[in-house]
Amino acid sequence: MSKIELEVLALSHSITHSHSYAVVLGEVEGSRRIPIVIGGFEAQAIAIALENMSPSRPLTHDLMKNICDAYGLELQEVIINDLLDGIFFSKLVCKNDKETIEIDSRTSDALALALRFNCPIYTFENIIESAGIMTKEMEEAEQFVEEEYDETEELEMELEELTKPKSIKEYSLDQLQVALDEALNNEDYEKAAELRDELDKRGSSNN
């Protein structure tokens, strides 16, 4: 079965899952899209790689790459090889000087690593066909949300502004992650660095 190469196109808030994000993959030689729902930490890891940011201390996926580099293990490709009940399954195809190794992985982690190793991402035709239905449903859901809630958008923004913490030290961890994603999307790297440092500081205090 021939493989189809994909690329990471965008990150966005998930329409169908609250407190989650969707990473959008697209065919390198085509127009079809695959949305994959991921968590906040994984979205942060992917966003940092997309923006070529260098954390002051290595995050989990940076650490994994550093370990692979130290032991001569190269990530050659990521393959999204299955889709069951809306969950994507992936594997890492790695190679050292002796053998090729396949490692099972969550798709979100696989994508974060693929961006750091600058390796290709592949899937198969049957998965794109199945995910295409999901794409259509997401577009319909997004259209519904826009039509139903457009009139309340201004009020919601006002309420959000009123309840927003005045200092990043007052932010919850979830609020810090959301703010970091927004700063990255807006290319506000100074703000992103400040938010990232606060996240790192809280992570260190919990260890």
Side-chain angles (χ1 to χ4, degrees), residues 155-166:
L155 176 59
E156 289 175 349
M157 291 177 63
E158 291 176 356
L159 290 173
E160 181 181 354
E161 188 64 31
L162 288 172
T163 57
K164 185 183 296 183
K166 303 304 180 184

Side-chain angles (χ1 to χ4, degrees), residues 4-101:
I4 298 172
E5 187 171 358
L6 303 170
E7 60 182 336
V8 178
L9 297 179
L11 271 173
S12 65
H13 287 282
S14 173
I15 297 297
T16 56
H17 296 74
S18 59
H19 308 298
S20 294
Y21 297 80
V23 56
V24 181
L25 305 179
E27 290 179 287
V28 172
E29 298 182 0
S31 59
R32 290 177 292 181
R33 304 288 183 262
I34 300 178
I36 300 176
V37 176
I38 61 176
F41 287 108
E42 293 80 7
Q44 177 186 341
I46 291 173
I48 288 174
L50 286 173
E51 298 294 337
N52 295 316
M53 292 187 67
S54 298
S56 58
R57 299 295 296 158
L59 301 179
T60 302
H61 297 90
D62 301 310
L63 175 61
M64 292 173 68
K65 184 180 186 302
N66 292 342
I67 292 173
C68 289
D69 291 343
Y71 286 91
L73 188 63
E74 178 188 358
L75 178 58
Q76 288 197 314
E77 61 186 32
V78 163
I79 302 177
I80 302 173
N81 59 344
D82 207 352
L83 174 60
L84 295 173
D85 298 325
I87 299 175
F88 291 87
F89 292 79
S90 297
K91 63 180 178 181
L92 310 175
V93 181
C94 306
K95 185 179 181 180
N96 57 24
D97 57 354
K98 296 180 180 180
E99 60 183 338
T100 297
I101 308 165

Side-chain angles (χ1 to χ4, degrees), residues 68-161:
C68 289
D69 291 343
Y71 286 91
L73 188 63
E74 178 188 358
L75 178 58
Q76 288 197 314
E77 61 186 32
V78 163
I79 302 177
I80 302 173
N81 59 344
D82 207 352
L83 174 60
L84 295 173
D85 298 325
I87 299 175
F88 291 87
F89 292 79
S90 297
K91 63 180 178 181
L92 310 175
V93 181
C94 306
K95 185 179 181 180
N96 57 24
D97 57 354
K98 296 180 180 180
E99 60 183 338
T100 297
I101 308 165
E102 294 186 357
I103 303 172
D104 183 38
S105 171
R106 294 191 309 169
T107 298
S108 55
D109 292 326
L111 295 176
L113 287 171
L115 291 170
R116 284 162 172 76
F117 279 89
N118 195 28
C119 74
I121 303 164
Y122 296 106
T123 192
F124 302 108
E125 178 65 31
N126 64 309
I127 293 177
I128 290 187
E129 288 182 356
S130 298
I133 298 173
M134 294 168 58
T135 302
K136 182 178 179 181
E137 290 174 350
M138 283 188 65
E139 290 174 350
E140 292 175 349
E142 184 175 0
Q143 182 179 0
F144 172 79
V145 170
E146 290 176 353
E147 292 174 351
E148 293 295 318
Y149 297 100
D150 184 61
E151 296 180 359
T152 63
E153 183 178 0
E154 184 176 349
L155 176 59
E156 289 175 349
M157 291 177 63
E158 291 176 356
L159 290 173
E160 181 181 354
E161 188 64 31

